[in-house]
Amino acid sequence: MERFCDGDQAAFEALFARHAGRVRGFLARMVRDGPLAEDLLQTTFLSVIRARGRYEPGTRFAPWLLTIGANAARDALRRRQHVEAYSRESEPAPSSVQPGVGDPGMRRQLEDALQQLHPDQREAVILSKVEGWSFEEIASMRGISVVAARVRAHRGYEKLRQLLGGLEEA
């Protein structure tokens, strides 16, 4: 990143090649929408270009990058929530059918449950359990205390237990 900040365009291409897959996966789990995750990936790297003057040399790049991506995902989720709330006012809600216990759709149930978490909790759960980040890394990335990162993840785990309670019997 320091080379890119100094004007080396090839360094940006290397950063993109090295980190795009991980960021895309993170964004896809956050927003659960492949095309939106692709758009957010592009937005994230455009933000890196725009924010390169604010990058502090010596800062770990991956947490800085994922912070930018997480902010983009949260913004997109807020926009989507606003649009969905507006469209629900004018259209009748479609009926939804939950897959049965033991159904091959168990992964889908987990993904649905993740989407019901508060974005901060979802982010903490995904970063800790899926991405394998420590709470210290999550705290550093989000600019919060380690305790706050643990609390967000714990609340997310508890909410998932509530939402997925029927799966324990399966």
Side-chain angles (χ1 to χ4, degrees):
M1 183 61 187
E2 291 175 23
R3 286 192 353 244
F4 173 59
C5 289
D6 290 336
D8 182 353
Q9 294 302 317
F12 177 78
E13 293 172 17
L15 287 171
F16 185 85
R18 183 177 302 145
H19 296 281
R22 185 174 193 185
V23 173
R24 183 183 296 112
F26 171 72
L27 292 169
R29 284 185 289 279
M30 284 293 291
V31 299
R32 204 164 144 220
D33 180 334
L36 178 58
E38 283 295 323
D39 289 346
L40 292 173
L41 176 68
Q42 300 304 317
T43 299
T44 298
F45 277 94
L46 282 172
S47 294
V48 166
I49 293 169
R50 290 184 191 120
R52 70 178 170 222
R54 293 188 305 265
Y55 178 78
E56 295 179 25
T59 303
R60 290 185 54 216
F61 178 71
W64 186 75
L65 175 64
L66 280 181
T67 299
I68 294 170
N71 289 338
R74 275 192 297 281
D75 290 345
L77 289 170
R78 274 193 294 272
R79 280 190 302 274
R80 179 170 38 180
Q81 193 174 35
H82 177 73
V83 167
E84 287 173 356
Y86 179 75
S87 58
R88 274 195 297 264
E89 292 175 2
S90 60
E91 297 177 11
S95 64
S96 63
V97 178
Q98 289 291 330
V101 174
D103 189 55
M106 197 176 293
R107 178 184 173 114
R108 177 136 171 93
Q109 284 182 295
L110 177 59
E111 291 171 352
D112 289 343
L114 274 171
Q115 292 306 305
Q116 293 179 48
L117 297 180
H118 185 276
D120 288 339
Q121 294 172 359
R122 181 181 328 123
E123 179 181 42
V125 168
I126 291 171
L127 288 173
S128 67
K129 292 297 183 187
V130 179
E131 296 292 327
W133 285 44
S134 71
F135 290 114
E136 291 79 11
E137 291 172 315
I138 295 169
S140 173
M141 180 183 104
R142 295 294 298 129
I144 59 176
S145 70
V146 174
V147 172
R150 287 181 192 276
V151 167
R152 287 179 183 183
H154 177 73
R155 288 181 179 159
Y157 304 149
E158 289 300 313
K159 180 72 173 178
L160 285 173
R161 280 187 197 98
Q162 289 174 350
L163 294 169
L164 300 171
L167 291 180
E168 292 173 359
E169 299 160 6

